[in-house]
Amino acid sequence: MTFKDATAIVGIGQTPFAKNLEDDERTLACRAVLAALDDAGIAPGEVDALASYTMEETDEVELAKAVGFGDLTFFSKVGYGGGGSCATVAHLAAAIAAGQATVGVAWRSRKRGSGPRPWKNTTVQLPTPAQWTRPFGLLRPADEIAMLTRRYMHEYGATRDHLFNVALACRNRANQNPAAIMYERPLTREMYMTSRWISEPLCLFDNCLETDGALACVVVGRERARDCRRRPVYVHSAAQGLPAQHHGMVNYWNDDPLTGPAWTAARHLWKHADFTPQDVDVAQIYDAFTALIPLSLEGYGFCGRGEGGAFTEQGALETGGRLPINTGGGGLSEAYVHGFNLINEGVRQLRGTSTAQVPDAGTCLVTAGEGVPTSALLLTNRS
Amino acid sequence: MLDPVKDTDGAPFWRYAAEGELRVQACADCGELRFPPRPCCPHCQSFAAEWRPVSGRGRVWSYVVPHPPLLPDYAAQAPYNVIVVELEEAPRIRLVGNLVAEAGARLDSVAVERIRIGAKVRVVFAGGLPQWVSA
Ligand SMILES: [Zn+2]
């Protein structure tokens, strides 16, 4: 049994994205899943595997009975918020490659736009590591990542202009994508540099959107994929990553806090791939915060340690640049749904149907959240 | 303000802090310091632990300045600083805290412009919480 190219994503679906959608999360989940199955041309009754996030509120029972799935023989949930996005597809691919299932659906539905902000909940807090951070006013994900960002800028000379380059590339792609929340809202350097702080050194535009929306995709074996409606997008390589002595969002307590889960996932990802970072045509890199992009560029091997900031210069992340990223607008400017929109955009690029299409894109890296136990996918349309 | 939600492993740290002492968990077999505290030693797998007094001197490793929206008690003091301090005797052991003008002072009692990575600090205590002042 081999994992490489043994499975493919054959359907993608999503709801509209907005600050406030009328449907509840369960309804949104059903809509996205049915849209993905329709895209694939596969009936709900054929689905026998599911994968989602531990933070997903709609459970398998609710989803299965609403949309009419068949008998399920595999279902899994991945932890660590946005770190689990790519792992949902990876779990389905592994299950299908191993013969545990035949048709898998991964999904995420979230009303983060109109719903509560998780950090405001002061009663349901894990004692570790919150006892070491929250009493001192390190309250939000933005504060936790800002701490690593400041250290990163200090050690390597990265600047706010580098972070702006990330925000701008995402916004420019969103301006080409009618589904993106920021479709009609261009960003300028002036706007970025004068915007309000969230947690210094991170300003408003360094932070992802707060979005209501849901997405899903369908994974099947390669034989079945050839008979589907769309061009198959093969799961070439996949990995999860939890480094030794890693501490999640507050990774301050090991020898080297600036090499995070991306490095671990990348080692496995490339070891099992037939191509290298230099062969990646387009990347969808998890962007809850701009600073995660330079860290991920280093972790996944697009540049050396400490070079992630400089990598963003001269339009490297834009269309036609060294590595176009987040071509739908990403979490910063399309929608923030725990990174699932990055998976669907990766599929669109390899189908040739992105609103910011990279000509003849044949390979795409998709990553989940850096700074938490993470996951990543290498996708290809050549097999 | 939020009180520490203590767990079994962390409770001794807070007990010593309430007495005005900074102690860090160490392996009673191989002697390795570890933070945050945990049930056993990742180096030698021993479950024997002790709480070792440290000097309370360190350097600022990084810092942030949160702005609203924040929980009300914190918003009232924003913008304030949160620092990570690496301890003099074990730079890998880092503590999150606040740089304040004196023990018990507000979180915004030191001007943000005066904070530097690498600056020397020393621990003080107020209300059972460690805080940091310029050293
Ligand atoms: Zn030991």
Side-chain angles (χ1 to χ4, degrees), chain A residues 132-268:
Chain A
W132 310 111
T133 58
R134 286 173 63 85
F136 308 104
L138 200 73
L139 301 175
R140 306 161 298 183
D143 304 317
E144 296 167 343
I145 293 300
M147 192 69 83
L148 290 175
T149 305
R150 171 93 64 186
R151 183 70 197 184
Y152 180 84
M153 295 167 91
H154 172 82
E155 278 197 25
Y156 300 132
T159 65
R160 293 195 66 212
D161 264 302
H162 292 142
L163 302 183
F164 166 66
N165 291 340
V166 172
L168 181 65
C170 291
R171 184 62 64 93
N172 286 343
R173 298 298 82 71
N175 293 159
Q176 296 170 262
N177 174 11
I181 290 198
M182 291 298 174
Y183 175 50
E184 291 178 311
R185 310 214 354 225
L187 177 68
T188 65
R189 187 174 181 278
E190 169 80 7
M191 286 164 68
Y192 178 90
M193 290 296 173
T194 58
S195 71
R196 66 187 172 89
W197 294 114
I198 300 299
S199 191
E200 298 178 49
L202 298 179
C203 72
L204 176 67
F205 295 112
D206 292 312
N207 287 260
C208 62
L209 303 169
E210 298 179 319
T211 311
D212 285 6
L215 302 103
C217 73
V218 182
V219 181
V220 301
R222 60 180 290 123
E223 300 302 324
R224 176 73 191 266
R226 293 203 185 99
D227 301 328
C228 287
R229 198 177 273 173
R230 311 285 177 201
R231 182 178 189 179
V233 172
Y234 297 96
V235 181
H236 184 70
S237 178
Q240 290 183 267
L242 167 51
Q245 296 298 316
H246 174 72
H247 297 272
M249 294 284 287
V250 288
N251 190 41
Y252 315 141
W253 300 304
N254 55 36
D255 289 337
D256 190 6
L258 297 180
T259 59
W263 276 258
T264 301
R267 277 191 291 274
H268 183 90

Side-chain angles (χ1 to χ4, degrees), chain A residues 301-381:
Chain A
F302 295 101
C303 59
R305 173 129 197 225
E307 296 172 357
F311 186 97
T312 68
E313 293 170 6
Q314 280 137 19
L317 309 180
E318 304 279 346
T319 304
R322 280 169 79 185
L323 183 69
I325 66 158
N326 302 6
T327 44
L332 288 162
S333 284
E334 183 190 30
Y336 183 65
V337 195
H338 262 160
F340 210 108
N341 52 322
L342 299 172
I343 299 172
N344 282 14
E345 174 62 13
V347 171
R348 274 190 287 268
Q349 280 288 348
L350 297 180
R351 287 177 174 180
T353 59
S354 170
T355 50
Q357 183 63 42
V358 171
D360 302 319
T363 57
C364 181
L365 168 71
V366 186
T367 78
E370 170 58 1
V372 289
T374 194
S375 52
L377 298 169
L378 283 175
L379 304 177
T380 181
N381 53 21

Side-chain angles (χ1 to χ4, degrees), chain B residues 27 29-32 41 43-46:
Chain B
C27 176
D29 280 319
C30 77
E32 194 80 29
C41 173
H43 303 280
C44 76
Q45 288 71 45
S46 166

Side-chain angles (χ1 to χ4, degrees), chain A residues 24-48:
Chain A
D24 61 16
E25 284 182 351
R26 194 187 311 180
T27 306
L28 293 171
C30 293
R31 290 192 191 285
V33 165
L34 289 174
L37 286 165
D38 182 59
D39 186 54
I42 293 176
E46 291 188 71
V47 173
D48 56 6

